[in-house]
Amino acid sequence: MIAKPLISGLIVLLTTSALAQDRGYVADAFGVVPAAQFSETEREKWAGVQQVIIPDHSPRMSQSHPKQVDNVLLFVGPKSAVAGTDQVHAVAIGLDRLGNLVGGGEAVSLVVQGHDTMTAQTNFGIADQLFMPETAVGMFHVGASTGQRQSARGEFRVVPDLASVDLQINPRTDVLSQEAFVEFSTYALSDQYDNPVGHGVALALLTAFEDGGYAQTTGITVDDVARFHLLTRAMGLNGVTHTTLGARQSGPATLAIQSFQAPHPPEIQVFGRPSIETLHIRIGPFLTDRGYVLNDGVPVYVAGAQHSGAQFELNGWLRDGYFEALVPGNAQSLPMDISVATQTGDFMLRVEALTPPLASSQRGLE
Amino acid sequence: MRRKIINIGLAGLGLVSVLATASIGYEQALERDKVYDYLDQALLAPDEVRQIVDWGPPSSELVRPFTPVDERKIGKAMSEAWSAFAVAQDTGETGILADYFTGVALDRAQSAASVAHDTGTGLVTLEITGQPEFYHLDGSVFQARARSLAIRFAEATDGLNLFQATRDETITTFMNESSGWRVFSHERTGIDPVNTSPRKVTIKPLVGMNYYPAKTPWRAFWSGFDPDIIAKDFDAIRALGANAVRVFLPRETFLAANAQADLGNLVRLLRMAEERNIYVVPTLFDLKSDYALAGWYEDAVYLTQVMPVLSQSDAVAYVDLKNEPDLDFEGHGRARVEAWVRAMAVLARELSPELALTVGWSTADHALVAADALDVVTYHEYQPLPGTTERLEQVRTGAGTKPVMVTEIGQTAWSALAGWPGSPARQAKELAARITALNASDGIFVWTLHDFPNPDPLAVGRKPWVQKSQGAFGLFDANGNAKPAAKSVSDGFTNFLKGKAHDQ
């Protein structure tokens, strides 16, 4: 082994076999190559500091410089710049024919639609310019050129400043029906620079009801107007609604929903079960004025006074539009007065006699 | 009588045959019978590349802030790129580079890795200090200046043709693509020298023990660290007249997630040695078995963990970078092992320039490998006793003014059959003679203080007779009683140090 301390202080170790072979090695950014495989190859032209290591010689430093710019890459962003808020960065990277970054100090022209041409100098191959685009929304083009070369076209878009949009709901003065799709909308929306918001902006519609309930739905803008569709089901009767976009909120708008109405009192049937001294009470169907059956689980309160004077109170709920319950009694318990209270109203019903038994297909509690 | 001798011989052969067969079956059974608690323990998980990039502040104000998250992500991209480049150079599989490089850098990395693989050359980047130079406002383009410790080498069949360590100044451009950051361009802009010269060191004559506690040798030492036992053993070492101890720092232990605890124990061990005026020769990278370039990054991390701790202690006489790496010449190539040794020496010197370095070669034949990069020359002497002095003399001639120490001598006391391969009496006699024959050295270490009831099979193998033999090199038996060799070694140490004192 021969160790040769070098003038530069690097220690390079060579075996005696290398003395007889080849012409040593060349070291560059990507490793070390036998000199015979380095010379007159493309690798020799990779820009950067190289070191030639030849036996019995001090290592020789050399620098491979990039050639003239052959290709200009352009990177423009952000792609969506908020009007009046976001700057845009145009970055050009200059490469020579072999892909080396061009040196420092190369002048690059950056042309932005709607702006004066800007000039920047390369630093390690990169020239850049930060600028504030126009406040009008739209798509803008950018180009870079240096020497005889120019880049492909770059693009960026200016988008509305949604944080400055003045939100207003078109008020509704009508009383809304239950179980109906109702549409709300905003006025045409624009930002502080009078840029219309266009299509596809999502807003939330939040409604708070007197009974403590909340409803939320989302609307999307079409032609600058957001539309919301609300289904008035299981909601309180009066509420206040706002629309929101980000941190901005519109003024309030009131809404009133009509309560449920029954078209007529429900029917009542009382069936006797003499074997167990029980009466089977069946009330219904409970309908809305639109002809819908009230949903399962709607609470019902029933109070009754039998002919004998016995009284009962029942709390239950609807199933398949009917209320059914068992109470102690027999045919002598009738006639009977029954009061019913539910969502669609309160009713007084009178039963004079037992209802004949149902066919097996109509039986409920049995 | 003759028939009796033949019958005994045949019976002996038969016994050996039975033992051999049983051993093979036992080994196979051990290989099959491995229990895992969780599926992910049984499946080989890909190692996550450790980040080798330290970030400094930007050279000038950036258009986009360079946040700690960016430091991690781009640092990771840089680390992974160079790790993949190392793998590609070793394997010739350049396709993997497409995950880490793009554009012109991808072409160059693939070309360079292919050439490196074909010509036996290599580039490993061990440390990088990065400085952001440019960052696009939208986070799509990033450029960094960096200063890195770069190792370049060229292998030949008979050893290294070239080894070079430099501080490279580079400019690297990254693109943030759909699957993360990739290197787009990489260029070297400057070179600074790295001082790899050894120092002239003066070390006191050392006589010592290679040390593991009796019940926790090899891999069990650090996980079963017991300061009370170590303190007692250090007292015993002192009582033998020894003034040094050689200990082992396994690679995996000090790279593990809980390495901080083991580093704390290392500090305690060094303090206990200081309190007893015992010099310590820590042997690094123990049980490392692979020299693939991608692993050098983790090796660098290991050194950054361990070297600062060793620097803090006055007890460290010098650092042994690796135990017997010449045993890896056949499996990994002499050139590759030597390149690794030199690279680790460079890094160790960068981290702790005040600590002297050596490598514990397994024989005198290899003692001078990479000696020009080391401060102390050390080797192990297990060859036949005749020739010991001559071998030492040859090494001393080649080492010049550098201290030469023999950091392992030993003789088993285990007798398999009528005093073969050893016995307590033979052990005592051989060690005494060996110490005398090495009188001209600057230091001698004996393997080992204790017998081991359970030698680590990773270190010595699983064959039962090897386990028995390796378990009986101690000066103290399994019950802690001194064997005859304890006295002969103690006398040998005393005479050795007296002789050195007289020489001085």
Side-chain angles (χ1 to χ4, degrees):
Chain A
M1 291 284 196
I2 297 173
K4 299 180 76 170
L6 306 174
I7 295 167
S8 65
L10 298 168
I11 298 293
V12 174
L13 195 71
L14 298 172
T15 62
T16 51
S17 60
L19 294 174
Q21 274 178 22
D22 303 335
R23 289 175 291 129
Y25 296 87
V26 181
D28 66 6
F30 282 91
V32 62
V33 188
Q37 294 196 355
F38 185 85
S39 303
E40 294 171 26
T41 62
E42 197 173 278
R43 187 161 178 173
E44 198 178 28
K45 301 184 183 71
W46 294 357
V49 171
Q50 296 160 358
Q51 200 176 31
V52 179
I53 305 162
I54 298 176
D56 294 330
H57 290 74
S58 297
R60 182 164 52 85
M61 304 262 284
S62 68
Q63 175 102 33
S64 174
H65 294 282
K67 302 290 183 271
Q68 212 172 354
V69 65
D70 188 68
N71 189 12
V72 183
L73 306 178
L74 181 62
F75 300 87
V76 181
K79 289 302 179 193
S80 293
V82 174
T85 303
D86 290 339
Q87 291 184 301
V88 174
H89 200 187
V91 173
I93 299 181
L95 306 169
D96 71 5
R97 182 178 58 83
L98 291 167
N100 298 310
L101 293 177
V102 298
E106 295 273 343
V108 176
S109 297
L110 293 160
V111 179
V112 179
Q113 187 179 343
H115 281 255
D116 294 333
T117 299
M118 299 174 280
T119 306
Q121 305 262 331
T122 56
N123 180 39
F124 292 118
I126 296 179
D128 70 307
Q129 194 67 243
L130 200 60
F131 61 94
M132 181 65 83
E134 292 184 11
T135 55
V137 299
M139 177 76 83
F140 297 89
H141 300 134
V142 184
S145 62
T146 179
Q148 301 293 317
R149 296 285 184 263
Q150 65 183 35
S151 70
R153 189 171 62 191
E155 292 175 341
F156 69 94
R157 187 182 287 276
V158 176
V159 297
D161 177 19
L162 296 180
S164 68
V165 170
D166 188 20
L167 299 172
Q168 291 182 57
I169 298 179
N170 254 325
R172 287 191 71 128
T173 55
D174 53 331
V175 177
L176 308 175
S177 303
Q178 286 277 355
E179 298 283 333
F181 275 106
V182 177
E183 184 182 283
F184 286 85
S185 65
T186 63
Y187 289 120
L189 302 175
S190 59
D191 69 6
Q192 64 177 311
Y193 305 107
D194 293 328
N195 291 316
V197 299
H199 307 311
V201 178
L203 288 80
L205 187 77
L206 295 163
T207 306
F209 293 97
E210 274 180 344
D211 63 359
Y214 281 90
Q216 178 185 331
T217 187
T218 305
I220 308 286
T221 58
V222 176
D223 287 331
D224 313 325
V225 174
R227 289 183 171 77
F228 310 88
H229 292 94
L230 203 66
L231 174 61
T232 55
R233 168 182 290 170
M235 292 182 182
L237 301 181
N238 294 303
V240 175
T241 195
H242 297 83
T243 184
T244 62
L245 173 62
R248 292 186 73 83
Q249 181 173 282
S250 70
T254 56
L255 59 86
I257 302 176
Q258 191 180 38
S259 63
F260 275 119
Q261 304 289 326
H264 50 72
E267 292 176 19
I268 182 165
Q269 296 164 304
V270 178
F271 303 97
R273 306 218 186 253
S275 60
I276 55 173
E277 283 284 315
T278 304
L279 297 173
H280 171 191
I281 299 175
R282 190 164 185 253
I283 306 173
F286 286 82
L287 304 175
T288 69
D289 55 355
R290 298 284 294 273
Y292 294 109
V293 174
L294 286 184
N295 48 287
D296 288 3
V298 169
V300 178
Y301 171 75
V302 172
Q306 297 181 8
H307 177 67
S308 62
Q311 296 185 339
F312 58 87
E313 288 186 13
L314 302 169
N315 280 295
W317 52 86
L318 299 184
R319 188 177 71 165
D320 294 334
Y322 284 86
F323 171 83
E324 297 187 71
L326 294 174
V327 298
N330 52 35
Q332 281 68 49
S333 303
L334 300 176
M336 188 159 55
D337 290 310
I338 291 178
S339 67
V340 179
T342 187
Q343 212 171 19
T344 51
D346 299 343
F347 309 97
M348 285 302 299
L349 305 172
R350 185 171 175 84
V351 183
E352 295 290 348
L354 290 178
T355 307
L358 292 169
S360 60
S361 62
Q362 291 176 295
R363 287 183 189 143
L365 289 177
E366 287 187 59
Chain B
M1 183 61 180
R2 193 172 165 209
R3 184 180 292 176
K4 209 184 267 185
I5 292 168
I6 291 170
N7 285 343
I8 289 170
L10 286 172
L13 278 173
L15 180 64
V16 168
S17 169
V18 166
L19 285 174
T21 306
S23 166
I24 291 165
Y26 174 63
E27 284 179 44
Q28 285 173 344
L30 282 175
E31 287 299 320
R32 283 198 297 271
D33 183 17
K34 191 152 179 151
V35 177
Y36 296 93
D37 292 323
Y38 300 101
L39 196 62
D40 69 337
Q41 290 172 350
L43 299 172
L44 285 174
D47 292 334
E48 197 163 304
V49 171
R50 291 189 197 237
Q51 214 185 106
I52 57 171
V53 184
D54 277 327
W55 290 102
S59 56
S60 58
E61 193 180 348
L62 300 175
V63 164
R64 180 184 171 102
F66 188 62
T67 66
V69 173
D70 292 321
E71 286 184 6
R72 274 201 304 278
K73 285 193 163 175
I74 300 177
K76 184 166 178 269
M78 208 186 262
S79 305
E80 288 180 342
W82 292 116
S83 181
F85 185 65
V87 171
Q89 290 174 97
D90 261 342
T91 62
E93 296 291 333
T94 58
I96 62 170
L97 296 173
D99 287 339
Y100 307 99
F101 295 84
T102 189
V104 64
L106 174 59
D107 294 335
R108 292 183 181 184
Q110 287 182 324
S111 168
S114 182
V115 166
H117 179 255
D118 293 342
T119 60
T121 58
L123 163 67
V124 179
T125 308
L126 291 182
E127 283 179 339
I128 302 177
T129 302
Q131 184 179 40
E133 181 68 29
F134 174 84
Y135 202 3
H136 197 302
L137 180 64
D138 68 3
S140 62
V141 181
F142 174 80
Q143 195 176 61
R145 283 206 252 198
R147 199 171 149 74
S148 57
L149 176 61
I151 305 292
R152 291 174 176 80
F153 62 89
E155 297 174 350
T157 46
D158 58 347
L160 271 185
N161 251 358
L162 167 73
F163 179 85
Q164 187 192 52
T166 55
R167 280 275 173 207
D168 285 1
E169 307 259 346
T170 55
I171 186 85
T172 307
T173 309
F174 294 81
M175 295 290 174
N176 194 357
E177 300 186 344
S178 55
S179 53
W181 289 100
R182 287 193 169 103
V183 176
F184 172 78
S185 163
H186 179 69
E187 188 179 307
R188 183 161 71 166
T189 56
I191 305 176
D192 277 330
V194 171
N195 182 14
T196 59
S197 305
R199 310 176 301 132
K200 185 162 167 49
V201 297
T202 304
I203 298 178
K204 278 184 171 182
L206 298 180
V207 286
M209 301 303 303
N210 284 273
Y211 174 63
Y212 287 121
K215 292 197 178 135
T216 54
W218 285 284
R219 282 179 295 172
F221 177 50
W222 293 99
S223 58
F225 189 89
D226 187 328
D228 293 334
I229 289 177
I230 294 170
K232 257 198 212 156
D233 285 342
F234 278 12
D235 290 337
I237 288 170
R238 245 2 213 130
L240 285 170
N243 63 1
V245 67
R246 185 168 177 250
V247 295
F248 299 85
L249 279 57
R251 179 185 187 270
E252 298 313 313
T253 300
F254 289 89
L255 278 175
N258 60 345
Q260 284 306 313
D262 294 308
L263 287 167
N265 285 334
L266 175 59
V267 171
R268 290 168 89 177
L269 181 144
L270 292 170
R271 198 175 301 136
M272 284 193 276
E274 280 175 39
E275 288 163 0
R276 290 163 179 78
N277 293 318
I278 294 177
Y279 286 101
V280 177
V281 175
T283 303
L284 310 186
F285 293 108
D286 202 38
L287 302 175
K288 172 182 165 74
S289 57
D290 184 12
Y291 295 84
L293 296 182
W296 292 25
Y297 298 96
E298 296 242 308
D299 296 339
V301 171
Y302 171 99
L303 284 178
T304 59
Q305 307 251 79
V306 165
M307 294 302 289
V309 172
L310 301 178
S311 292
Q312 298 294 317
S313 173
D314 292 333
V316 175
Y318 53 89
V319 174
D320 186 342
L321 286 172
K322 180 78 171 74
N323 184 59
E324 301 184 346
D326 47 333
L327 297 181
D328 299 322
F329 281 177
E330 193 177 319
H332 299 276
R334 175 179 166 142
R336 175 56 62 90
V337 174
E338 187 183 338
W340 178 87
V341 163
R342 288 179 179 277
M344 294 303 118
V346 166
L347 190 52
R349 235 182 258 298
E350 291 264 302
L351 291 167
S352 303
E354 72 284 2
L355 286 178
L357 304 176
T358 191
V359 168
W361 301 103
S362 73
T363 70
D365 293 341
H366 295 132
L368 296 175
V369 174
D372 58 293
L374 304 168
D375 309 299
V376 181
V377 174
T378 60
Y379 67 97
H380 304 163
E381 183 59 89
Y382 290 101
Q383 297 204 62
L385 189 55
T388 297
T389 303
E390 290 75 15
R391 289 189 289 272
L392 172 64
E393 195 47 44
Q394 266 191 318
V395 172
R396 289 188 67 213
T397 302
T401 57
K402 295 183 184 180
V404 175
M405 299 200 183
V406 181
T407 49
E408 280 189 35
I409 63 170
Q411 172 64 44
T412 186
W414 177 60
S415 174
L417 199 62
W420 178 86
S423 68
R426 185 175 164 194
Q427 183 191 38
K429 190 173 158 201
E430 294 263 342
L431 284 176
R434 188 81 76 175
I435 291 172
T436 303
L438 293 171
N439 207 46
S441 72
D442 298 297
I444 304 171
F445 288 69
V446 173
W447 182 280
T448 178
L449 182 67
H450 290 292
D451 282 353
F452 302 127
N454 298 302
D456 191 335
L458 185 69
V460 307
R462 293 186 186 277
K463 295 184 173 62
W465 56 88
V466 172
Q467 290 256 322
K468 289 278 187 204
S469 172
Q470 290 291 329
F473 273 74
L475 302 186
F476 292 86
D477 66 19
N479 297 318
N481 299 318
K483 294 195 266 189
K487 175 145 188 350
S488 69
V489 165
S490 180
D491 291 343
F493 283 171
T494 303
N495 292 336
F496 180 89
L497 288 175
K498 242 191 228 167
K500 295 299 167 190
H502 178 72
D503 289 344
Q504 286 163 7

